[in-house]
Amino acid sequence: MQSSNVVTSSIPFLDLVAPHIELEQELTNVFRRALVTAGFIGGPMVEEFEGAFATFCSTSHSVAVSSGTDALRFALMACGVETGDVIVTVPHTFIATTEAISQAGALPEFVDIDENTYNMSVEMLRRYLEEQCSRDQAGRLISMRSGRPVTAVVPVHLYGQMADMDPILRLASKYGLKVIEDACQAHGAEYFSKKLNRWMKAGSMGQAAAFSFYPGKNLGACGEAGAVTTNDAALADKVRVLRDHGQVKKYYHNVEGYNGRLDAIQAGILHAKLAHLAKWNAQRRERAAEYNQLLADNESITLPSEPSWSSAVYHLYVIRTLDREGLMSHLKEAGIGTGIHYPIPLHLQSAYTALNYAPGDFPVAECASAEIVSLPMFPQLTAEQQATVAEEIRAFTSKTFYKPAESEHVSIASAQLSA
Ligand SMILES: Cc1ncc(COP(=O)(O)O)c(C=O)c1O
């Protein structure tokens, strides 16, 4: 394909074939083990993976379930979220975050994101709790918007970068709220907690956390899968009951539950891949550093920012630019895959008209969703491929963007002052 006089070969947004070919033997052995034992649902392969994943996340427990959405729903329910509760989260996330809240019987309410990290803004959470909630006679925190009790917060560690957990946990504790981390994009991400004076793994900081192992995730199954992590043994037990039709032992149902179990083949595959996750995450960080360097002098785009307290695992590498559609179609012409995560913030999705939010309610999320574009990012991405991506971005931005000279900045500024 021809673009900007440079011949490029196709650079996919994500390459899911390479890692599976690399591990073909290990993964095939998992199938064999399941076939000869016929242990298809639950059993030792699931338990072995649960133990290994808990160790990876530095938590005492991990309970494997059938998807990230179920992980979040079960985590919320096991934390004691009840029908009619309000759960606070962000509008800039995949819809599964709010679907899980609704499926747990609760109502999502939003606070805006931080414009640098794209994660929950601590200031907006503080303002929501201080200015948009009151106490009822029983002392419960009530949302003025819906009149319902606010009981939990779901920070999302989007794109593989953790939300600013210390202040979120502090606010949650002050207002008596549970914290359930949506870590579905953040396997292995770390946060430096000033409070604890150490790095903490994603999924180890709230009462519970949800992970997705959808195939394209940093740790992905060859199908659907998810897990809840927690340091609370009783909570882990509740999730085990919820995922298995509410039964504490076979045919003894304490509550109605769900069919949310993980099958053994997926658990075995995840366990085999988990051994490579730290290496893959390190490669993603190297790829991100390479993009940062290649794109550093391009004034038309904003690069991802990583605060000093964050060690992101770059599930996605997201830049920002004013002519996002133009850039994407230029890259498409050049055979380079891109994505938008996500084009419409949740409060403006048709699915949530009943929540009565309006354009302008969350300006940071709205502005981000119009300008963000995700570049190819996967561990096997090569330096040559990245150089081509950067070259094509430069070719597009240098031809389309008007950059005022230094002297013009002054005259534009003074014209604005006098206007
Ligand atoms: C932020 C976020 N939350 C929740 C989910 C739901 O995970 P799953 O697709 O495994 O149900 C995803 C998966 O895409 C996600 O990215």
Side-chain angles (χ1 to χ4, degrees), residues 1-11 333-335 388 391-392:
M1 243 174 283
Q2 193 107 23
S3 170
S4 327
N5 301 322
V6 180
V7 178
T8 59
S9 57
S10 178
I11 302 174
E333 276 286 299
T388 306
E391 173 54 27
E392 289 297 338

Side-chain angles (χ1 to χ4, degrees), residues 66-70 72 93-94 96-97 156 158 182 184-185 211-214 217 224-226 315 342:
S66 50
S67 69
T69 312
D70 270 357
L72 199 49
T93 176
F94 182 53
T97 309
V156 182
L158 204 68
D182 182 336
C184 286
Q185 299 190 4
F211 286 87
S212 163
F213 304 121
Y214 188 73
K217 295 292 195 276
E224 303 279 359
H315 172 57
Y342 298 90

Side-chain angles (χ1 to χ4, degrees), residues 282-336:
Q283 286 169 332
R284 284 175 183 270
R285 287 184 59 76
E286 281 168 23
R287 299 296 108 227
E290 178 80 6
Y291 270 140
N292 289 346
Q293 211 170 353
L294 289 167
L295 300 171
D297 59 357
N298 193 325
E299 291 166 23
S300 311
I301 58 174
T302 307
L303 301 179
S305 85
E306 197 176 340
S308 56
W309 42 258
S310 170
S311 178
V313 289
Y314 291 93
H315 172 57
L316 296 168
Y317 184 89
V318 178
I319 61 167
R320 204 164 160 155
T321 187
L322 292 177
D323 186 6
R324 186 253 311 276
E325 267 64 35
L327 177 62
M328 287 179 78
S329 71
H330 176 90
L331 294 177
K332 189 174 176 201
E333 276 286 299
I336 296 167

Side-chain angles (χ1 to χ4, degrees), residues 130 135 169-177:
E130 277 178 11
R135 296 274 176 194
L169 288 166
R170 210 176 307 124
L171 281 168
S173 147
K174 179 173 170 191
Y175 287 88
L177 307 175

Side-chain angles (χ1 to χ4, degrees), residues 193-216:
S193 167
K194 274 198 183 145
K195 186 178 173 217
L196 303 171
N197 196 30
R198 63 189 163 97
W199 287 93
M200 301 287 292
K201 281 274 181 73
S204 69
M205 298 195 73
Q207 267 80 36
F211 286 87
S212 163
F213 304 121
Y214 188 73

